[in-house]
mmCIF file of all heavy atoms in Angstrom:
data_model
loop_
_atom_site.group_PDB
_atom_site.id
_atom_site.type_symbol
_atom_site.label_atom_id
_atom_site.label_comp_id
_atom_site.label_asym_id
_atom_site.label_seq_id
_atom_site.Cartn_x
_atom_site.Cartn_y
_atom_site.Cartn_z
ATOM 1 N N THR A 1140 -0.211 -12.314 6.373
ATOM 2 C CA THR A 1140 -0.350 -10.868 6.676
ATOM 3 C C THR A 1140 -1.167 -10.670 7.928
ATOM 4 O O THR A 1140 -0.878 -9.878 8.755
ATOM 5 C CB THR A 1140 -0.985 -10.110 5.509
ATOM 6 O OG1 THR A 1140 -0.204 -10.326 4.321
ATOM 7 C CG2 THR A 1140 -1.091 -8.650 5.783
ATOM 8 N N ASN A 1143 1.058 -11.543 10.824
ATOM 9 C CA ASN A 1143 2.215 -10.711 11.005
ATOM 10 C C ASN A 1143 1.876 -9.250 10.631
ATOM 11 O O ASN A 1143 2.480 -8.695 9.706
ATOM 12 C CB ASN A 1143 3.383 -11.172 10.154
ATOM 13 C CG ASN A 1143 3.823 -12.548 10.523
ATOM 14 O OD1 ASN A 1143 3.814 -12.903 11.687
ATOM 15 N ND2 ASN A 1143 4.231 -13.375 9.553
ATOM 16 N N GLN A 1144 0.970 -8.676 11.278
ATOM 17 C CA GLN A 1144 0.632 -7.285 10.962
ATOM 18 C C GLN A 1144 1.737 -6.351 11.460
ATOM 19 O O GLN A 1144 2.389 -6.572 12.503
ATOM 20 C CB GLN A 1144 -0.682 -6.876 11.583
ATOM 21 C CG GLN A 1144 -1.883 -7.565 10.988
ATOM 22 C CD GLN A 1144 -3.186 -7.112 11.664
ATOM 23 O OE1 GLN A 1144 -3.183 -6.477 12.654
ATOM 24 N NE2 GLN A 1144 -4.286 -7.518 11.025
ATOM 25 N N VAL A 1145 2.000 -5.326 10.670
ATOM 26 C CA VAL A 1145 3.071 -4.391 10.974
ATOM 27 C C VAL A 1145 2.859 -3.722 12.304
ATOM 28 O O VAL A 1145 3.800 -3.519 13.113
ATOM 29 C CB VAL A 1145 3.247 -3.400 9.804
ATOM 30 C CG1 VAL A 1145 4.267 -2.326 10.154
ATOM 31 C CG2 VAL A 1145 3.597 -4.069 8.519
ATOM 32 N N ASP A 1146 1.633 -3.309 12.553
ATOM 33 C CA ASP A 1146 1.338 -2.629 13.790
ATOM 34 C C ASP A 1146 1.669 -3.490 15.005
ATOM 35 O O ASP A 1146 2.178 -3.002 16.011
ATOM 36 C CB ASP A 1146 -0.119 -2.250 13.877
ATOM 37 C CG ASP A 1146 -0.453 -1.120 12.864
ATOM 38 O OD1 ASP A 1146 0.487 -0.422 12.404
ATOM 39 O OD2 ASP A 1146 -1.640 -1.010 12.510
ATOM 40 N N LYS A 1147 1.445 -4.789 14.875
ATOM 41 C CA LYS A 1147 1.729 -5.654 16.000
ATOM 42 C C LYS A 1147 3.267 -5.823 16.140
ATOM 43 O O LYS A 1147 3.754 -6.062 17.236
ATOM 44 C CB LYS A 1147 1.094 -7.015 15.793
ATOM 45 C CG LYS A 1147 -0.414 -6.984 15.982
ATOM 46 C CD LYS A 1147 -1.032 -8.371 15.799
ATOM 47 C CE LYS A 1147 -2.492 -8.303 16.006
ATOM 48 N NZ LYS A 1147 -3.127 -9.661 15.791
ATOM 49 N N GLN A 1148 3.999 -5.693 15.046
ATOM 50 C CA GLN A 1148 5.441 -5.871 15.122
ATOM 51 C C GLN A 1148 6.094 -4.708 15.867
ATOM 52 O O GLN A 1148 7.099 -4.848 16.507
ATOM 53 C CB GLN A 1148 6.020 -5.972 13.720
ATOM 54 C CG GLN A 1148 5.566 -7.250 12.994
ATOM 55 C CD GLN A 1148 6.046 -8.505 13.673
ATOM 56 O OE1 GLN A 1148 7.151 -8.546 14.174
ATOM 57 N NE2 GLN A 1148 5.224 -9.545 13.685
ATOM 58 N N ILE A 1149 5.540 -3.488 15.695
ATOM 59 C CA ILE A 1149 6.208 -2.314 16.323
ATOM 60 C C ILE A 1149 5.476 -1.908 17.583
ATOM 61 O O ILE A 1149 5.817 -0.860 18.168
ATOM 62 C CB ILE A 1149 6.277 -1.144 15.352
ATOM 63 C CG1 ILE A 1149 4.908 -0.710 14.884
ATOM 64 C CG2 ILE A 1149 7.145 -1.466 14.161
ATOM 65 C CD1 ILE A 1149 4.921 0.590 14.135
ATOM 66 N N GLU A 1150 4.461 -2.623 17.984
ATOM 67 C CA GLU A 1150 3.763 -2.290 19.226
ATOM 68 C C GLU A 1150 4.655 -2.553 20.425
ATOM 69 O O GLU A 1150 5.248 -3.575 20.530
ATOM 70 C CB GLU A 1150 2.493 -3.136 19.299
ATOM 71 C CG GLU A 1150 1.552 -2.740 20.398
ATOM 72 C CD GLU A 1150 0.244 -3.503 20.309
ATOM 73 O OE1 GLU A 1150 -0.442 -3.378 19.322
ATOM 74 O OE2 GLU A 1150 0.008 -4.280 21.270
ATOM 75 N N PRO A 1151 4.686 -1.573 21.351
ATOM 76 C CA PRO A 1151 5.554 -1.752 22.539
ATOM 77 C C PRO A 1151 5.074 -2.924 23.354
ATOM 78 O O PRO A 1151 3.870 -3.225 23.446
ATOM 79 C CB PRO A 1151 5.321 -0.459 23.284
ATOM 80 C CG PRO A 1151 4.846 0.541 22.294
ATOM 81 C CD PRO A 1151 4.074 -0.251 21.261
ATOM 82 N N LYS A 1152 6.052 -3.602 23.964
ATOM 83 C CA LYS A 1152 5.713 -4.848 24.731
ATOM 84 C C LYS A 1152 5.170 -4.583 26.092
ATOM 85 O O LYS A 1152 4.395 -5.363 26.618
ATOM 86 C CB LYS A 1152 6.972 -5.715 24.846
ATOM 87 C CG LYS A 1152 7.567 -6.095 23.495
ATOM 88 C CD LYS A 1152 6.684 -7.037 22.743
ATOM 89 C CE LYS A 1152 7.384 -7.453 21.431
ATOM 90 N NZ LYS A 1152 6.425 -7.830 20.399
#
Side-chain angles (χ1 to χ4, degrees):
T1140 303
N1143 299 323
Q1144 290 181 351
V1145 174
D1146 292 339
K1147 289 182 180 177
Q1148 295 296 322
I1149 62 170
E1150 189 173 296
K1152 302 293 183 205

